[in-house]
Amino acid sequence: MIDFLEQQAPHSYDRFVFLDAQDWMTDEVLTQLWTQVARVGKPGTRIIFRTAAAESPLETALPAELRSQFVYEAELSAQLFLQDRSAIYGGFHLYRKAD
């Protein structure tokens, strides 16, 4: 996915769905992925994913400068988690690229 995104034009996407793949990524790989999301994402881009744990790994994995480019929709994420019918994940997370 990182290789693919590196080839895309800046500000060319507005939605991402990562499911639980990030649970298996190192902090370095997460940083590479989200650096590309920041680059190719339009303002307001929405990113959703599930995690095994209730907490989002991004809150501690991403460098502060990169993390500050995204808004974590914590309240909406919690509401959407309650609606998630998969019943095997610990968390559902929605981030938005800051305007």
Side-chain angles (χ1 to χ4, degrees), residues 44-89:
T45 291
R46 293 175 11 149
I47 306 102
I48 62 170
F49 60 93
R50 293 175 169 130
T51 54
E55 298 80 27
S56 168
L58 303 184
E59 298 305 306
T60 57
L62 298 184
E65 182 178 311
L66 178 58
R67 174 61 190 85
S68 69
Q69 296 180 55
F70 299 94
V71 175
Y72 180 43
E73 301 287 353
E75 187 174 311
L76 183 54
S77 292
Q79 291 172 6
L80 293 171
F81 175 69
L82 294 175
Q83 297 174 33
D84 190 355
R85 295 178 293 176
S86 68
I88 62 170
Y89 295 99

Coordinates of all heavy atoms in Angstrom, one line a residue, residues 44-89:
G44 N -9.9 17.0 4.9 CA -11.2 16.4 5.3 C -11.2 14.9 5.0 O -12.2 14.2 5.3
T45 N -10.2 14.4 4.4 CA -10.1 12.9 4.1 C -10.5 12.1 5.3 O -10.1 12.5 6.4 CB -8.7 12.5 3.6 OG1 -8.5 13.1 2.3 CG2 -8.5 11.0 3.5
R46 N -11.3 11.1 5.1 CA -11.6 10.2 6.3 C -10.9 8.9 6.1 O -10.9 8.3 5.1 CB -13.2 10.0 6.3 CG -13.8 11.4 6.7 CD -15.3 11.4 6.7 NE -16.0 10.2 6.6 CZ -17.2 10.0 7.1 NH1 -17.8 10.9 7.8 NH2 -17.8 8.8 7.0
I47 N -10.4 8.4 7.3 CA -9.7 7.1 7.3 C -10.4 6.3 8.4 O -10.5 6.8 9.6 CB -8.2 7.3 7.7 CG1 -7.6 8.3 6.7 CG2 -7.5 6.0 7.7 CD1 -7.4 9.7 7.3
I48 N -10.8 5.1 8.1 CA -11.4 4.2 9.1 C -10.6 2.9 9.2 O -10.0 2.5 8.2 CB -12.9 3.9 8.9 CG1 -13.0 3.1 7.6 CG2 -13.7 5.1 8.9 CD1 -14.4 2.6 7.4
F49 N -10.6 2.3 10.4 CA -9.9 1.0 10.6 C -10.4 0.4 11.9 O -10.9 1.1 12.8 CB -8.4 1.1 10.6 CG -7.8 2.1 11.6 CD1 -7.4 1.6 12.8 CD2 -7.6 3.4 11.3 CE1 -6.8 2.4 13.8 CE2 -7.1 4.3 12.3 CZ -6.6 3.8 13.5
R50 N -10.2 -0.9 12.0 CA -10.5 -1.6 13.2 C -9.2 -2.0 13.9 O -8.1 -2.1 13.2 CB -11.3 -2.9 12.9 CG -12.7 -2.6 12.4 CD -13.3 -3.9 12.0 NE -14.7 -3.8 11.8 CZ -15.3 -4.2 10.7 NH1 -14.6 -4.9 9.7 NH2 -16.6 -4.1 10.5
T51 N -9.2 -2.3 15.2 CA -8.1 -2.8 15.9 C -8.5 -3.9 16.9 O -9.7 -3.9 17.3 CB -7.4 -1.7 16.8 OG1 -8.4 -1.1 17.6 CG2 -6.8 -0.6 15.9
A52 N -7.5 -4.7 17.2 CA -7.8 -5.8 18.2 C -8.0 -5.1 19.6 O -8.9 -5.5 20.4 CB -6.7 -6.8 18.3
A53 N -7.2 -4.1 19.9 CA -7.3 -3.4 21.2 C -8.3 -2.3 21.1 O -8.7 -1.8 20.0 CB -6.0 -2.9 21.6
A54 N -8.8 -1.8 22.2 CA -9.8 -0.7 22.1 C -9.1 0.6 21.7 O -9.7 1.5 21.1 CB -10.4 -0.5 23.5
E55 N -7.8 0.8 22.1 CA -7.1 2.0 21.8 C -6.6 2.0 20.3 O -6.2 1.0 19.8 CB -6.0 2.3 22.7 CG -6.4 2.4 24.2 CD -6.6 1.0 24.8 OE1 -6.0 0.0 24.4 OE2 -7.5 1.0 25.8
S56 N -6.5 3.2 19.8 CA -5.9 3.4 18.5 C -4.4 3.4 18.6 O -3.8 4.1 19.4 CB -6.3 4.7 17.8 OG -5.5 5.0 16.7
P57 N -3.7 2.6 17.8 CA -2.2 2.5 17.9 C -1.6 3.8 17.4 O -0.4 4.1 17.7 CB -1.9 1.4 16.9 CG -3.0 1.3 16.0 CD -4.2 1.7 16.8
L58 N -2.3 4.7 16.7 CA -1.7 5.9 16.1 C -1.4 6.9 17.2 O -0.5 7.7 17.0 CB -2.7 6.5 15.1 CG -3.1 5.6 14.0 CD1 -3.9 6.4 13.0 CD2 -1.9 5.0 13.3
E59 N -2.1 6.9 18.3 CA -1.9 7.9 19.3 C -0.5 7.8 19.9 O 0.0 8.9 20.4 CB -3.0 7.7 20.4 CG -4.4 8.0 19.9 CD -4.6 9.3 19.2 OE1 -4.2 10.3 19.8 OE2 -5.0 9.3 18.1
T60 N 0.1 6.7 19.9 CA 1.5 6.6 20.5 C 2.5 6.2 19.4 O 3.7 6.4 19.6 CB 1.6 5.5 21.6 OG1 1.1 4.2 21.0 CG2 0.7 5.9 22.7
A61 N 2.1 5.7 18.2 CA 3.0 5.2 17.2 C 3.5 6.4 16.3 O 4.7 6.3 15.9 CB 2.4 4.2 16.4
L62 N 2.7 7.3 16.0 CA 3.1 8.4 15.0 C 3.8 9.5 15.7 O 3.5 9.9 16.8 CB 1.8 8.9 14.3 CG 1.0 8.0 13.5 CD1 -0.1 8.7 12.8 CD2 1.9 7.2 12.5
P63 N 4.8 10.1 15.0 CA 5.5 11.3 15.5 C 4.5 12.4 15.7 O 3.5 12.5 14.9 CB 6.5 11.6 14.4 CG 6.7 10.4 13.6 CD 5.4 9.6 13.7
A64 N 4.6 13.3 16.6 CA 3.7 14.3 16.9 C 3.4 15.2 15.7 O 2.2 15.6 15.5 CB 4.2 15.2 18.1
E65 N 4.4 15.5 15.0 CA 4.2 16.4 13.8 C 3.2 15.7 12.8 O 2.4 16.4 12.2 CB 5.5 16.7 13.1 CG 5.4 17.7 12.0 CD 6.7 18.0 11.4 OE1 7.6 18.4 12.1 OE2 6.9 17.9 10.1
L66 N 3.4 14.5 12.5 CA 2.5 13.7 11.6 C 1.2 13.6 12.2 O 0.1 13.8 11.6 CB 3.2 12.4 11.3 CG 2.3 11.5 10.3 CD1 2.0 12.2 9.0 CD2 3.1 10.2 10.1
R67 N 1.1 13.2 13.5 CA -0.2 12.9 14.2 C -1.0 14.2 14.2 O -2.3 14.1 14.1 CB 0.1 12.4 15.6 CG -1.1 12.3 16.5 CD -2.1 11.2 16.0 NE -3.3 11.3 16.8 CZ -4.3 12.2 16.6 NH1 -4.2 13.0 15.6 NH2 -5.3 12.2 17.4
S68 N -0.4 15.4 14.3 CA -1.1 16.6 14.3 C -1.9 17.0 13.0 O -2.7 17.8 13.0 CB -0.2 17.8 14.7 OG 0.7 18.0 13.7
Q69 N -1.6 16.2 12.0 CA -2.2 16.5 10.7 C -3.6 15.8 10.6 O -4.3 15.9 9.6 CB -1.3 16.0 9.5 CG 0.0 16.8 9.4 CD 0.8 16.3 8.3 OE1 0.4 16.3 7.2 NE2 2.1 16.0 8.6
F70 N -3.9 15.0 11.6 CA -5.2 14.3 11.7 C -5.9 14.5 12.9 O -5.4 14.7 14.0 CB -4.9 12.8 11.5 CG -4.1 12.4 10.3 CD1 -2.8 12.3 10.3 CD2 -4.8 12.1 9.1 CE1 -2.1 12.0 9.1 CE2 -4.2 11.8 7.9 CZ -2.8 11.8 7.9
V71 N -7.3 14.5 12.8 CA -8.2 14.7 13.9 C -8.8 13.3 14.2 O -9.4 12.7 13.3 CB -9.3 15.7 13.6 CG1 -10.3 15.8 14.7 CG2 -8.7 17.0 13.3
Y72 N -8.6 12.9 15.5 CA -9.3 11.6 15.9 C -10.7 11.9 16.3 O -10.9 12.7 17.2 CB -8.5 11.0 17.0 CG -9.0 9.6 17.5 CD1 -9.5 8.7 16.6 CD2 -9.1 9.4 18.8 CE1 -10.0 7.5 17.0 CE2 -9.6 8.1 19.3 CZ -10.1 7.2 18.4 OH -10.6 6.0 18.8
E73 N -11.6 11.3 15.6 CA -13.1 11.5 16.0 C -13.4 10.4 17.0 O -14.1 9.4 16.7 CB -13.9 11.3 14.7 CG -13.6 12.3 13.6 CD -14.0 13.7 13.9 OE1 -14.8 13.9 14.9 OE2 -13.7 14.6 13.1
A74 N -13.0 10.7 18.3 CA -13.1 9.7 19.3 C -14.6 9.4 19.7 O -15.0 8.2 19.8 CB -12.4 10.2 20.6
E75 N -15.4 10.4 19.8 CA -16.8 10.1 20.2 C -17.5 9.4 19.0 O -18.3 8.4 19.3 CB -17.5 11.5 20.5 CG -18.9 11.3 21.0 CD -19.5 12.6 21.4 OE1 -18.8 13.4 22.2 OE2 -20.6 12.9 21.0
L76 N -17.4 9.8 17.8 CA -18.0 9.1 16.7 C -17.4 7.7 16.5 O -18.2 6.8 16.2 CB -17.8 10.0 15.4 CG -18.5 9.4 14.2 CD1 -20.0 9.2 14.4 CD2 -18.3 10.4 13.0
S77 N -16.1 7.6 16.7 CA -15.5 6.2 16.7 C -16.2 5.3 17.7 O -16.5 4.1 17.4 CB -14.0 6.3 17.0 OG -13.4 7.0 15.9
A78 N -16.4 5.8 18.9 CA -17.1 4.9 19.9 C -18.5 4.6 19.5 O -19.0 3.4 19.7 CB -17.1 5.7 21.2
Q79 N -19.2 5.5 18.9 CA -20.6 5.2 18.5 C -20.6 4.2 17.4 O -21.4 3.3 17.3 CB -21.3 6.5 18.0 CG -21.6 7.5 19.1 CD -22.0 8.9 18.5 OE1 -22.2 9.0 17.3 NE2 -22.2 9.8 19.4
L80 N -19.7 4.4 16.4 CA -19.6 3.4 15.3 C -19.2 2.1 15.7 O -19.6 1.1 15.2 CB -18.7 4.0 14.2 CG -19.2 5.3 13.5 CD1 -18.1 5.8 12.6 CD2 -20.5 5.0 12.7
F81 N -18.3 2.0 16.8 CA -17.9 0.7 17.3 C -19.1 -0.1 17.8 O -19.2 -1.3 17.6 CB -16.9 0.9 18.4 CG -16.5 -0.4 19.1 CD1 -15.8 -1.4 18.4 CD2 -16.9 -0.7 20.4 CE1 -15.5 -2.6 19.0 CE2 -16.6 -1.9 21.0 CZ -15.9 -2.8 20.3
L82 N -20.0 0.6 18.5 CA -21.2 0.0 19.0 C -22.1 -0.6 17.9 O -22.9 -1.5 18.1 CB -22.0 0.9 19.9 CG -21.3 1.4 21.2 CD1 -22.2 2.4 21.9 CD2 -21.1 0.2 22.1
Q83 N -22.0 0.0 16.7 CA -22.8 -0.5 15.5 C -22.0 -1.5 14.7 O -22.6 -2.1 13.8 CB -23.1 0.7 14.6 CG -24.0 1.7 15.3 CD -24.1 3.0 14.4 OE1 -24.2 2.9 13.2 NE2 -24.2 4.1 15.0
D84 N -20.8 -1.8 15.0 CA -20.0 -2.7 14.2 C -20.4 -4.1 14.5 O -20.4 -4.6 15.7 CB -18.5 -2.5 14.6 CG -17.6 -3.3 13.7 OD1 -18.0 -4.1 12.8 OD2 -16.3 -3.2 13.9
R85 N -20.9 -4.8 13.5 CA -21.4 -6.1 13.7 C -20.4 -7.3 13.6 O -20.8 -8.4 13.7 CB -22.5 -6.4 12.6 CG -23.7 -5.4 12.9 CD -24.8 -5.6 11.8 NE -24.2 -5.2 10.6 CZ -24.9 -5.3 9.4 NH1 -26.1 -5.8 9.4 NH2 -24.4 -4.9 8.3
S86 N -19.2 -6.9 13.4 CA -18.2 -8.0 13.3 C -17.9 -8.7 14.6 O -17.7 -9.9 14.6 CB -16.8 -7.5 12.8 OG -16.2 -6.6 13.8
A87 N -18.0 -8.0 15.7 CA -17.9 -8.6 17.1 C -16.6 -9.3 17.4 O -16.6 -10.1 18.3 CB -19.1 -9.5 17.3
I88 N -15.6 -9.1 16.6 CA -14.3 -9.7 16.9 C -13.2 -8.7 17.2 O -12.1 -9.0 17.5 CB -13.8 -10.7 15.8 CG1 -13.6 -10.0 14.5 CG2 -14.8 -11.8 15.7 CD1 -13.0 -10.8 13.4
Y89 N -13.5 -7.4 17.0 CA -12.5 -6.4 17.2 C -12.7 -5.6 18.5 O -13.8 -5.5 19.0 CB -12.6 -5.4 16.0 CG -12.2 -6.0 14.7 CD1 -13.1 -6.4 13.8 CD2 -10.8 -6.2 14.4 CE1 -12.8 -7.1 12.6 CE2 -10.4 -6.8 13.2 CZ -11.4 -7.3 12.3 OH -11.1 -7.9 11.2

